[in-house]
């Protein structure tokens, strides 16, 4: 073996020894000992991964139980309204058959229902002055409503959040309020099995046709005529035209056909929604789509007969960037336009002749469409409906027909009363729950009977039923906002216990080692199995939890008890996980302040600025600490890298995507404007700057330890630079596609873009993983030339001492090689970000390198401050890459960067890589906090990495527990679903993502790194 003596932190001299003969028994002993150490390391590594998977199980189970109790539920009733059984007697005016009308004489034989996805109300109202691109393009709706008020009306159409198409279609066809979970016979699927408009139309013998968004077919499988129906993929937001063109091509021949093979057509256009997602509403593409819709609607009007009803509506709106899913005004304010060639509509009930100028005036709820269409088409109102008939459709074209208004509202209110009674019985609700609506119902019913005897005005009857329906709706909203508190408590307790486990494992004063894993796992599996059996037996006896839930809780509880028992009985003893240094207390303080702050909606809204403050504080603290270092090299390096870290943090803060609640105190810079979803032209320079500068910066850090040799040269100097350049070309072509800069077909551009993206991802994950697995350490060895014949000195007669070999990169052998794995993920994550986001990720990479130098120069490799800072960097750059803790900020279009269509599981994984790319990158980099500038044979590296990884996960677990607890505590808060619930969901997904990445990528990748180094220098 070599006699290794250190002469420099950058290189290592190796003194040659006399060769050991092949028959020397010590050589076999050394080899055997080395193999034994290798086997021990691999076994400890596998057990460590198993232990961390147990932590992941606790996190996932805690999130599951809390989510199950937190997400609102509604019992779905299987009752169906029947044509021959109206809920109230209209004194002979109910025909009782589908030909003339079931509960009310029908007005139309056929209907064309057009959904223009994301049609916001202000898209339909003309605007003077300097309009946006979405103004004055779709004119026909407002124009006909003004010029022909007896044949058309236009109203704001308010959606109930969440404003996702699937939930909105449920509300538009059932008349019910949205909940996250509908408890019923279809709990495991997406098909709507409760009573709904489409089912009633089918039961009435109507021929139904669907064109467009294929979501309808998952909700109503088998309902539509197979020969006339044409569904299209709904998720490809890059495609603005295929669905719209297809709908129009099949719709117009049906309307012009004289055979009458259809009764109701549902046409769902997606171009407006996709234009919003891709470009934002204030873009010329949006103007073009709205003008196209204007032409289509005019063509439909010309093709209609006077027996056909035309309905045009948006299922939701869109925010200033073109996204939706939340509950902001722009997202819930859709438009509803109803048209008929015969004069049957009116405004006599309120005397307003023109459509509202804003969505705040005279809005109607989307659930109100259900009873309106049902009565106009002569079918029963669906049993679960909570909406009220829209007055404009029944008041009549001349003098207000109060009798008809009173009749339709009596029918609707009576059906609601019927549903309320059935729901109360199914749920076991007391009479006091609906006591106020019941009183209003009694009053309205008495007035209804009075009107039949001419003792009460029909206008007052109409108003009385309206009051009842309004109050009943309010009660139902509060009734369905009920939470399963015990399940939420179970979830919080599990997350709290997982936090305590991580705290003891990572930060106990007497730290646990990776070798301790067998002690824990043996007891965890034993007690976990006993807990599983006990929980199953409890569930079998008929406990309210059920067998599955009680079994899972038993297994989790038993394993947690086992961990606590092992901690107490461990031979070395234990101590509370309290900090023992200034840096440790700072880590605890910053984490605690952030966790406590999530109780405030303003803190949650401005989380990105809070993280900026915390990171700047850490940078300043490290600057002060570096100044106090004794060694001049450590002092100079620490000061320089702390300054770099602070500057990089400030530069990254310039990338900003403002959420609605931050306005007007925030200015978005992530896109070209606050109303756009595309990058500005100057932002296209950022990827090219990254390709030019980032590899050079990384190379500079490697050269600081003489590590830019061997494997690093190819992967940093060539693969990283070429991949970044390819990403830059991709985003330039994407901008050219968006703005029609090139005289090239869209298909050709799309093919070139996807090919480039696939090549880059292939370099990242296929070639990169292979290269990382087989790469040698980033070192080079200078072997001196042998002296001539090994001759002795002429004067002394002694042979000269041989010159030592020099190993370049020795002092950072572990860190320089492991960073190649970070580069692999960096390549993919930068590709999947918009140009501004790619710049943010590039800065994050430099911050990681600066942090590693700060940790080394201040001797903080075992401190909590490194993992906590890395975790904060991940969350900070989550915001800097164009995301917020809101559903609408999810960049769904990422799924189509390397793909032309949706492909599972790749499409969802691409969205996750985009949304949580910063957290994934920092999770991958955690082992570097221990490995950076460590010699190859340092002992205890696996245990130190385990401690760093556990501390990193501890931060995310604390944030998730805090957001979970505050969401549960503030479950009645006005801002629950706008602020606290999205932040809980963001934190929960982030925790699960960093758990998996930390286990399989970071700790898993460590095995190949240490194995590669050990092949050269032996196992430590």
């Amino acid at each position: 073996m070599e006699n290794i003596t250190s002469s420099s932190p950058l290189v290592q001299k190796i003194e040659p020894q006399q060769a050991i003969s092949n028959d020397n028994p010590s050589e076999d002993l050394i080899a055997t000992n080395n193999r034994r150490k290798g086997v021990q390391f691999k076994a400890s590594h596998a057990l460590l991964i198993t232990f961390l998977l147990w932590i992941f199980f606790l996190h996932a189970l805690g999130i599951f139980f809390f989510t199950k109790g937190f997400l609102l539920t509604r019992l779905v009733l299987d009752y169906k309204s029947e044509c021959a059984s109206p809920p109230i007697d209209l004194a002979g005016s109910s025909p009782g058959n589908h030909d003339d009308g079931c509960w009310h004489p029908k007005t139309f034989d056929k209907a064309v229902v057009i959904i223009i996805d994301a049609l916001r109300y202000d898209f339909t109202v003309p605007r003077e002055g300097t309009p946006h691109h979405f103004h004055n393009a779709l004119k026909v709706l407002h124009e006909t409503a003004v010029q022909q008020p007896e044949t058309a009306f236009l109203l704001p159409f308010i959606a109930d959040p969440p404003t996702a198409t699937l939930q909105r279609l449920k509300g538009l066809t059932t008349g019910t309020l949205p909940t996250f979970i509908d408890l019923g016979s279809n709990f495991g699927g997406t098909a709507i099995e409760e009573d709904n408009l489409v089912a009633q139309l089918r039961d009435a013998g109507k021929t139904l046709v669907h064109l467009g968004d294929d979501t309808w077919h998952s909700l109503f499988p088998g309902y539509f005529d197979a020969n006339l129906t044409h569904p299209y993929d709904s998720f490809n937001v890059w495609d603005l035209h295929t669905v719209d063109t297809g709908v129009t091509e099949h719709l117009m021949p049906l309307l012009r056909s004289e055979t009458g093979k259809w009764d109701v057509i549902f046409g769902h256009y997606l171009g407006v929604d996709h234009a919003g997602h891709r470009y934002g509403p204030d873009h010329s593409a949006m103007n073009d789509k709205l003008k196209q819709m204007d032409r289509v609607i005019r063509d439909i009007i010309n093709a209609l007969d006077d027996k056909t009803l035309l309905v045009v509506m948006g299922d939701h709106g869109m925010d200033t960037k073109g996204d939706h899913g939340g509950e902001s005004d722009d997202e819930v304010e859709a438009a509803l336009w109803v048209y008929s060639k015969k004069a049957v509509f009116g405004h006599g009930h309120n005397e307003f002749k023109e459509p509202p100028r804003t969505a705040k005036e005279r809005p109607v709820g989307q659930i109100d469409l259900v009873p309106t269409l049902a009565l106009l088409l002569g079918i029963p109102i669906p049993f679960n409906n909570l909406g009220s008939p829209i007055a404009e459709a029944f008041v009549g074209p001349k003098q207000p027909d109060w009798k008809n208004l009173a009749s339709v509202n009596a029918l609707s209110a009576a059906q609601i009363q019927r549903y309320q009674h059935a729901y109360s019985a199914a749920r076991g609700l007391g009479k006091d729950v609906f006591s106020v609506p019941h009183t209003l119902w009694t009053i309205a019913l008495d007035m209804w009977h009075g009107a039949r005897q001419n003792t009460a005005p029909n206008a007052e009857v109409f108003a009385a039923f309206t009051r009842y329906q309004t109050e009943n709706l309010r009660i139902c909203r509060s009734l369905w906002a009920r939470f399963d508190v015990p399940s939420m408590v179970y979830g919080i307790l599990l997350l709290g216990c997982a936090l305590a486990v991580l705290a003891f494992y990572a930060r106990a004063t007497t730290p646990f080692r990776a070798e301790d894993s067998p002690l824990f796992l043996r007891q965890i599996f034993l007690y976990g199995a006993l807990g599983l059996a006990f929980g199953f037996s409890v569930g079998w006896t008929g406990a309210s939890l059920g067998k599955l839930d009680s079994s899972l809780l038993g297994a989790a509880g038993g394993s947690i008890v086992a961990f606590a028992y092992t901690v107490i009985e461990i031979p070395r003893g234990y101590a509370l996980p309290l900090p023992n240094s200034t840096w440790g207390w700072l880590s605890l303080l910053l984490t605690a302040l952030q966790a406590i702050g999530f109780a405030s909606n303003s803190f949650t809204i401005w989380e990105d600025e809070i993280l900026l403050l915390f990171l700047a504080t850490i940078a300043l603290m490290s600057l002060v600490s570096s100044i106090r270092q004794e060694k001049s090299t450590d002092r100079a390096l620490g000061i320089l890298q702390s300054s770099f870290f602070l500057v990089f943090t400030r530069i990254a803060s310039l990338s900003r995507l403002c959420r609605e609640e931050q306005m007007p105190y925030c200015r978005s810079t992530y896109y070209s404007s606050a109303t756009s979803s595309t990058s500005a032209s100057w932002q296209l320079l950022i990827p090219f700057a990254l390709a030019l500068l980032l590899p050079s910066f990384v190379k500079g850090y490697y050269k600081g330890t003489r590590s830019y040799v061997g494997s690093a040269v190819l992967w940093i100097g060539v693969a990283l630079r070429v991949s970044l350049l390819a990403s830059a070309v991709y985003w330039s072509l994407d901008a050219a596609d968006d703005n029609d800069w090139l005289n090239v077909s869209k298909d050709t551009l799309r093919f070139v873009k996807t090919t480039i993206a696939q090549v880059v991802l292939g370099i990242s994950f296929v070639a990169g993983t292979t290269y990382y697995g087989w790469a040698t350490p980033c070192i080079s060895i200078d072997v001196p030339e042998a002296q001539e014949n090994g001759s002795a000195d002429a004067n002394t007669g002694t042979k000269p001492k041989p010159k030592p070999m020099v190993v370049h990169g020795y002092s950072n052998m572990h860190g320089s090689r492991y960073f190649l794995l970070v580069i692999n993920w960096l390549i993919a994550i930068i590709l999947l970000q918009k140009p501004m986001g790619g710049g943010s990720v590039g800065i994050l990479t430099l911050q990681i390198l600066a942090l590693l130098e700060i940790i080394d120069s201040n001797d903080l490799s075992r401190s909590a401050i490194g993992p906590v800072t890395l975790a904060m960097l991940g969350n900070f750059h989550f915001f800097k890459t164009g995301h917020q803790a809101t559903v609408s900020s999810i960049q769904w279009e990422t799924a189509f960067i390397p793909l032309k269509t949706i492909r599972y599981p790749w499409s969802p994984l691409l969205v996750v890589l985009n949304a949580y790319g910063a957290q994934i990158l920092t999770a991958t980099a955690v082992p570097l906090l221990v490995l950076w500038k460590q010699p190859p044979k340092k002992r205890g590296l696996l245990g130190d990495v385990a401690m760093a990884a556990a501390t990193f996960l501890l931060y995310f677990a604390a944030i998730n527990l805090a957001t979970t607890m505050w969401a549960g505590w503030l479950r009645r808060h006005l801002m629950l679903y706008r602020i606290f619930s999205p932040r809980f969901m963001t934190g929960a997904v982030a925790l699960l993502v960093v758990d998996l990445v930390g286990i399989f990528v970071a700790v898993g990748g460590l095995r190949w790194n240490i194995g590669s180094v050990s092949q050269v220098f032996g196992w430590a």
Side-chain angles (χ1 to χ4, degrees):
M1 291 295 290
E2 305 91 5
N3 177 25
I4 301 176
T5 60
S6 176
S7 63
S8 166
L10 307 179
V11 300
Q12 185 72 27
K13 295 180 180 178
I14 300 179
E15 305 284 357
Q17 299 280 307
Q18 291 184 350
I20 300 174
S21 62
N22 291 333
D23 58 351
N24 192 331
S26 63
E27 184 176 357
D28 293 335
L29 182 62
I30 292 171
T32 301
N33 188 47
N34 191 54
R35 284 195 297 272
R36 178 181 59 79
K37 290 181 179 180
V39 171
Q40 287 178 342
F41 170 81
K42 292 174 182 177
S44 296
H45 181 267
L47 291 172
L48 173 60
I49 286 182
T50 305
F51 179 81
L52 293 176
L53 283 173
W54 173 62
I55 298 294
F56 170 75
F57 165 74
L58 293 181
H59 287 157
L61 195 61
I63 292 170
F64 165 74
F65 273 103
F66 180 84
T67 302
K68 189 163 68 76
F70 181 71
L71 298 184
L72 304 184
T73 61
R74 174 175 63 89
L75 177 65
V76 174
L77 301 182
D78 293 331
Y79 299 109
K80 309 288 184 181
S81 295
E82 297 179 1
C83 185
S85 179
I88 193 172
D89 181 18
L90 292 185
S93 60
S94 297
N97 61 77
H98 288 110
D99 293 332
D100 301 316
C102 288
W103 297 354
H104 183 271
K106 69 178 183 181
T107 310
F108 300 97
D109 295 330
K110 295 184 176 184
V112 177
V113 181
I114 301 296
I115 298 94
I116 301 178
D117 209 288
L119 180 64
R120 207 167 71 192
Y121 182 73
D122 60 337
F123 292 1
T124 67
V125 180
R127 176 166 177 164
E128 300 176 355
T130 306
H132 296 287
H133 284 98
F134 52 79
H135 285 131
N136 302 335
L138 180 55
K139 300 179 180 180
V140 64
L141 308 185
H142 190 273
E143 178 183 297
T144 52
V146 171
Q147 296 176 0
Q148 308 168 43
E150 70 283 353
T151 64
F153 61 87
L154 173 65
L155 293 171
F157 199 40
I158 307 303
D160 290 295
T163 49
T165 295
L166 182 69
Q167 294 286 350
R168 289 293 80 240
L169 291 183
K170 286 185 176 182
L172 286 167
T173 54
T174 63
T176 59
L177 298 175
T179 55
F180 289 96
I181 301 175
D182 291 336
L183 296 175
S185 56
N186 67 321
F187 181 78
T190 59
I192 298 178
E193 295 185 5
E194 64 180 308
D195 200 7
N196 61 81
L197 269 178
V198 182
Q200 287 289 347
L201 289 167
R202 183 191 61 175
D203 293 344
K206 305 290 186 181
T207 300
L208 308 181
V209 177
H210 168 259
L211 307 170
D213 186 345
D214 60 358
T215 304
W216 287 79
H217 288 263
S218 62
L219 296 176
F220 307 104
Y223 281 57
F224 304 106
D225 187 290
N227 297 321
L228 302 178
T229 293
H230 299 276
Y232 294 87
D233 180 17
S234 62
F235 197 64
N236 189 354
V237 296
W238 292 84
D239 187 350
L240 274 61
H241 306 294
T242 299
V243 177
D244 290 3
T245 301
V247 173
T248 303
E249 286 179 350
H250 294 100
L251 173 63
M252 299 314 298
L254 287 173
L255 294 178
R256 293 173 180 140
S257 173
E258 296 182 358
T259 59
K261 294 186 295 183
W262 58 272
D263 294 298
V264 179
I265 299 175
F266 297 94
H268 196 144
Y269 287 87
L270 292 172
V272 171
D273 178 69
H274 289 185
H277 283 300
R278 185 170 180 181
Y279 303 106
D282 197 12
H283 190 275
S284 58
M286 180 63 74
N287 186 272
D288 292 340
K289 292 307 300 182
L290 291 173
K291 286 182 176 178
Q292 179 188 9
M293 293 297 97
D294 186 86
R295 293 191 297 271
V296 167
I297 294 170
R298 293 181 189 275
D299 290 342
I300 294 174
I301 291 174
N302 293 332
L304 284 183
D305 57 33
D306 59 3
K307 295 182 179 180
T308 303
L309 174 70
L310 173 60
V311 179
V312 176
M313 60 182 166
D315 56 341
H316 50 74
M318 64 176 67
D319 64 14
T320 55
K321 305 185 311 302
D323 299 319
H324 57 89
E327 56 178 326
S328 67
D329 289 347
D330 284 341
E331 293 171 271
V332 302
E333 293 173 351
L336 171 68
W337 179 77
V338 182
Y339 175 83
S340 165
K341 284 202 168 179
K342 57 183 178 181
V344 294
F345 305 138
H347 305 271
H349 64 295
N350 56 26
E351 301 301 331
F352 288 103
K353 299 297 184 182
E354 294 191 0
R357 298 194 59 82
T358 71
K360 301 294 186 293
E361 305 172 30
R362 311 196 315 274
V364 296
Q366 290 196 348
I367 58 174
D368 296 340
L369 181 67
V370 172
T372 303
L373 286 183
L375 296 175
L376 288 175
L377 295 175
I379 60 175
I381 298 174
F383 188 86
N384 297 332
N385 166 73
L386 295 174
S388 305
I390 298 172
E392 282 80 357
F394 301 98
V395 70
K398 298 178 181 179
Q399 294 296 323
D401 188 347
W402 293 111
K403 182 178 180 180
N404 193 40
L405 273 181
S407 297
V408 295
N409 273 271
L411 285 170
S412 176
Q415 177 54 45
I416 291 173
Q417 174 69 10
R418 177 189 281 178
Y419 167 72
Q420 173 192 304
H421 178 76
Y423 192 87
S424 297
R427 278 294 196 189
L429 302 177
K431 295 182 179 180
D432 58 318
V433 175
F434 288 100
S435 60
V436 175
H438 181 73
T439 301
L440 293 175
W441 165 254
T442 303
I443 294 172
L445 192 61
D446 289 342
M447 294 182 68
W448 165 252
H449 291 305
R452 293 175 61 183
Q453 299 173 6
N454 298 320
T455 60
N458 282 299
E460 294 183 8
V461 175
F462 163 69
F465 280 122
T466 300
R467 285 192 295 270
Y468 162 74
Q469 292 173 97
T470 302
E471 178 62 19
N472 189 82
L473 184 60
R474 186 191 67 79
I475 294 294
C476 287
R477 289 186 191 277
S478 63
L479 182 65
W480 291 339
R482 289 191 172 183
F483 304 88
D484 184 354
V485 176
S487 182
M488 294 165 62
V489 171
Y490 295 144
I492 291 173
L493 288 176
L494 285 173
L495 292 173
C497 289
L499 183 74
V501 169
L502 278 173
F504 269 96
Y505 187 80
R507 307 314 310 175
T509 306
T510 304
F512 301 112
R513 299 189 297 261
E515 293 79 5
D516 295 328
S517 297
L519 299 176
F520 292 115
L521 290 175
R522 189 181 303 114
Q523 300 297 327
I524 285 172
F525 281 116
L526 174 60
Y527 282 77
L530 293 175
L532 177 67
F534 176 76
F536 182 81
S537 63
V538 171
W540 188 266
T541 61
S544 58
L545 275 175
K547 291 188 288 291
L548 177 61
D549 288 355
S550 59
S551 299
L552 291 174
L553 281 176
S559 61
I560 292 168
V561 170
F563 179 87
Y565 172 78
T566 307
V567 169
I568 295 172
E569 295 296 323
I570 199 166
R572 293 193 314 276
Y574 72 97
L576 294 176
L578 295 175
N580 55 9
S581 67
T582 302
W583 285 111
W585 282 108
L586 178 64
S587 303
L588 177 60
L589 176 64
L590 294 181
T591 304
L593 285 175
Q594 192 174 1
I596 295 170
F598 285 120
S600 164
N601 58 345
S602 58
F603 182 99
T604 307
I605 290 168
W606 292 98
E607 184 182 357
D608 53 343
E609 297 299 315
I610 302 297
L611 287 170
L612 173 62
L613 173 64
F614 286 178
L615 290 172
T617 300
I618 293 172
L620 292 174
M621 288 286 289
S622 67
L623 185 62
V624 173
S625 177
S626 299
I627 293 173
R628 300 173 60 186
Q629 295 301 307
E630 294 182 1
K631 291 184 179 180
S632 59
T633 53
D634 288 341
R635 184 166 56 251
L637 185 62
I639 292 173
L640 179 64
Q641 297 302 326
S642 298
S643 301
F644 281 166
F645 188 90
L646 181 59
V647 171
F648 291 149
T649 302
R650 293 301 305 178
I651 293 174
S653 69
L654 299 177
S655 175
R656 185 181 299 111
L657 179 69
C658 303
R659 57 187 294 164
E660 182 190 19
E661 295 86 358
Q662 292 177 324
M663 306 305 289
Y665 307 106
C666 179
R667 180 176 176 270
S668 292
T669 59
Y670 191 78
Y671 296 110
S672 58
S673 69
T675 59
S676 174
S677 293
T678 58
S679 300
S681 298
W682 68 268
Q683 291 175 333
L684 299 177
L685 299 175
I686 295 176
F688 288 100
L690 275 181
L692 177 66
L693 298 176
L694 186 58
S696 299
F697 276 109
V698 176
K699 177 181 175 181
Y701 280 96
Y702 268 64
K703 283 194 168 184
T705 55
R706 305 284 178 86
S707 301
Y708 192 68
V709 291
S711 305
V713 176
L714 174 62
W715 209 244
I716 297 172
V718 179
L720 176 60
R721 195 180 298 276
V722 169
S723 299
L724 293 178
L725 183 61
S727 297
V729 172
Y730 173 89
W731 286 108
S732 296
L733 292 176
D734 183 71
D737 187 14
D738 289 344
N739 298 283
D740 296 325
W741 290 342
L742 301 176
N743 188 22
V744 180
S745 71
K746 297 283 186 181
D747 291 339
T748 301
L749 268 180
R750 184 67 181 151
F751 173 78
V752 173
K753 288 194 305 178
T754 54
T755 301
I756 292 173
Q758 290 169 2
V759 169
V760 172
L761 292 178
I763 293 173
S764 171
F765 293 124
V766 181
T769 302
T770 304
Y771 191 77
Y772 177 77
W774 292 95
T776 57
C778 302
I779 58 173
S780 67
I781 302 175
D782 291 343
V783 181
E785 296 182 3
Q787 291 185 351
E788 241 178 87
N789 300 322
S791 58
D793 185 90
N795 298 324
T796 63
T798 60
K799 290 186 177 182
K801 187 178 181 180
K803 295 181 180 179
M805 293 182 294
V806 179
V807 181
H808 296 275
Y810 179 90
S811 65
N812 194 23
M813 195 177 300
H814 284 294
S816 60
R817 190 193 183 284
Y818 183 86
F819 194 79
L820 301 180
L821 180 62
V822 177
I823 290 175
N824 292 343
W825 287 87
L826 172 69
I827 290 171
I829 291 169
I830 286 182
L831 169 70
L832 298 176
Q833 304 293 333
K834 299 288 179 71
M836 202 73 170
S840 172
V841 174
I843 292 174
L844 171 60
T845 306
L846 299 179
Q847 287 179 288
I848 291 173
L849 289 167
L851 177 64
L852 298 178
E853 296 290 353
I854 294 170
I855 296 297
D856 175 69
S857 62
N858 288 269
D859 193 21
L860 297 171
S861 62
R862 293 179 64 84
S863 171
I865 194 64
V868 169
T869 304
L870 262 186
M872 286 187 177
L873 279 173
N875 279 350
F876 177 68
H877 284 274
F878 168 81
F879 297 103
K880 302 301 111 180
T881 51
H883 300 95
Q884 286 283 351
T886 59
V887 176
S888 60
S889 70
I890 298 174
Q891 298 171 22
W892 299 106
E893 64 272 20
T894 306
F896 299 96
I897 288 179
L899 303 172
K900 293 181 180 179
T901 58
I902 300 173
R903 295 181 63 183
Y904 293 98
W906 311 116
S907 297
L909 288 176
L910 291 169
V911 175
V912 171
L913 268 175
N914 167 271
Y916 295 97
Q919 288 99 328
I920 290 171
L921 194 65
T922 53
T924 306
V926 168
L928 286 168
L929 297 168
V930 174
L931 301 178
W932 196 253
K933 291 188 176 180
Q934 296 295 339
K937 299 198 70 173
K938 181 178 179 181
R939 295 180 182 275
L941 284 180
L942 180 61
D944 289 346
V945 168
M947 185 171 69
T951 306
F952 181 83
L953 298 179
L954 181 63
Y955 171 86
F956 281 97
I959 297 302
N960 176 64
L961 177 61
T963 56
T964 301
M965 290 176 61
W966 292 127
W969 182 258
L970 300 170
R971 60 188 181 275
R972 300 295 181 187
H973 195 281
L974 180 64
M975 292 293 177
L976 175 65
Y977 292 109
R978 180 172 289 197
I979 296 175
F980 298 109
S981 179
R983 187 60 187 89
F984 148 68
M985 291 187 285
T986 301
V989 176
L991 176 61
L992 297 179
V993 168
V994 297
D995 271 348
L996 293 174
V997 173
I999 295 169
F1000 293 108
V1001 179
V1003 177
L1006 186 67
R1007 173 173 175 171
W1008 281 266
N1009 192 80
I1010 293 182
S1012 175
V1013 173
S1014 299
Q1015 284 181 352
V1016 179
F1017 290 93
W1019 294 93

